[in-house]
Amino acid sequence: MRTRRHPPVTDMARLRRSGGSGKHGRKGMTRTGEDGTEGDEVARSRMAMLFTMLAVAVLALTGCTVATAGTGVAERADRPLTPSLEGTVWSGTDSDGRYYVFRFKAGSRLAYTSPTGTFDKSSDTWTQRGATITLTFNSGYAVYKGSIVGNDMGGRASNVVGKKWEWSVRKQ
């Protein structure tokens, strides 16, 4: 009588059948087997990654952006979580203790009051992208960059001669 001989069982096949933890201690996690199939967790992980990439693509195509204030909250381009600064007034100080009042006017014009006077010149402008703000004074002589968080705004500034400082203002 001849004994029927079974083909050798590979480690991978044994691991799949046993649901064992494998070399790295992750139960149920298998690599592609000899028959070309993947383990359940690997397949689920790949599907989750694909779904996430698809969701990001859909959000990007529908005009959504991510707030830059570090909140990770999505903003719709037509209804931003950070409203436009146009028509608002903000006041506060810089790191040298000087007091400022910024008036955000239509057409990206910026009027302001500083220790040296009150100014409303076309060379002073503001730009806003979501929660990120840039104030440009005297055609770029000084530039303030910062972010808006609720009723507070602040950041860093520098001028063409290399001076750097910080600033913070609050909505009035």
Side-chain angles (χ1 to χ4, degrees), residues 36-104:
T37 60
E38 293 181 336
D40 289 342
E41 284 189 39
V42 172
R44 274 194 293 271
S45 176
R46 288 186 184 186
M47 286 300 291
M49 177 72 77
L50 179 63
F51 179 76
T52 301
M53 289 172 30
L54 179 61
V56 169
V58 167
L59 289 174
L61 291 173
T62 58
C64 292
T65 60
V66 175
T68 56
T71 62
V73 177
E75 292 185 347
R76 293 237 3 173
D78 58 346
R79 271 187 335 206
L81 293 176
T82 305
S84 172
L85 293 173
E86 187 173 309
T88 63
V89 178
W90 300 64
S91 64
T93 58
D94 65 13
S95 53
D96 293 329
R98 291 185 286 247
Y99 182 77
Y100 293 88
V101 176
F102 299 132
R103 290 179 277 313
F104 294 88

Side-chain angles (χ1 to χ4, degrees), residues 123-142:
S123 62
D124 301 325
T125 61
W126 63 276
T127 57
Q128 178 184 6
R129 183 176 175 133
T132 301
I133 182 75
T134 302
L135 312 178
T136 305
F137 298 90
N138 200 15
S139 299
Y141 178 83

